[in-house]
Amino acid sequence: MKIAVACDHGGLPLKELVKDALIKNGCEIADLGTRTGESVDYPDFAREALSMLVHGKCDRIVLLCGTGIGMSICANRIPGVRGTLCHDSYTAAMARRHNDSNCLILGGRVLGPAIAQDIVEVWLATGFEGGRHQARLDKIDGLCTELKYQSRG
Ligand code: RB5
């Protein structure tokens, strides 16, 4: 599985650990930065990873910022991206089983290393259940289309 990884300064320390966990679990990774502790804007780093995902240049992506909230807002604006902010192995499993997560989001300032590693392993290993959960995801796509149309008047 090819996975693009991007973070801001708040996610940087955890990104290295996440990369190690991905590689250990057989993934090919593309590290899209940031690479220094200098303060940066998380949308600038989400951009390339989201672009790779929607253009099929990778299978899934991992985004990290301080809380994971800013990256979540970015990711879930983009049609086709199912960004899931995970806090533990339970939320990671459910993000895959019920939400078909293709974008794992982590908060570098709120997660310890062992929990983050667990999350990555479970998120990689867990499958999507489909069925009623696919129908719900289809409804989200319908909602986006409907509200986008309405917002144009
Ligand atoms: C950066 O200070 C911080 O705001 C960012 O990493 C993230 O937590 C935003 O949601």
Side-chain angles (χ1 to χ4, degrees):
M1 197 180 310
K2 181 168 178 182
I3 304 216
V5 185
C7 68
D8 73 354
H9 54 289
L12 181 63
L14 198 62
K15 183 180 70 170
E16 294 310 313
L17 184 142
V18 164
K19 280 166 51 185
D20 289 346
L22 290 167
I23 292 166
K24 204 178 94 190
N25 284 276
C27 297
E28 178 192 346
I29 59 160
D31 181 350
L32 305 175
T34 188
R35 293 186 176 78
T36 74
E38 183 193 344
S39 179
V40 293
D41 298 333
Y42 55 82
D44 295 338
F45 289 86
R47 187 178 183 282
E48 178 64 16
L50 290 164
S51 171
M52 284 183 71
L53 183 62
V54 298
H55 292 110
K57 294 188 176 150
C58 61
D59 300 297
R60 298 190 202 166
I61 63 175
V62 180
L63 302 176
L64 307 96
C65 63
T67 57
I69 296 171
M71 286 297 199
S72 297
I73 295 170
C74 280
N76 287 311
R77 291 278 176 101
I78 311 303
V81 177
R82 296 175 298 280
T84 54
L85 178 56
C86 294
H87 307 291
D88 47 39
S89 56
Y90 178 75
T91 48
M94 296 308 281
R96 289 288 311 133
R97 287 172 55 194
H98 286 193
N99 309 112
D100 197 16
S101 170
N102 57 5
C103 169
L104 173 63
I105 303 166
L106 301 172
R109 293 175 180 157
V110 295
L111 288 176
I115 302 282
Q117 186 162 336
D118 270 1
I119 291 172
V120 168
E121 286 174 0
V122 170
W123 182 75
L124 286 174
T126 307
F128 177 47
E129 288 177 4
R132 68 185 187 281
H133 303 295
Q134 182 59 59
R136 290 165 185 163
L137 294 178
D138 293 342
K139 283 196 179 187
I140 295 173
D141 291 338
L143 197 61
C144 295
T145 307
E146 182 192 321
L147 295 181
K148 193 172 164 193
Y149 176 76
Q150 284 175 2
S151 71
R152 285 181 181 156

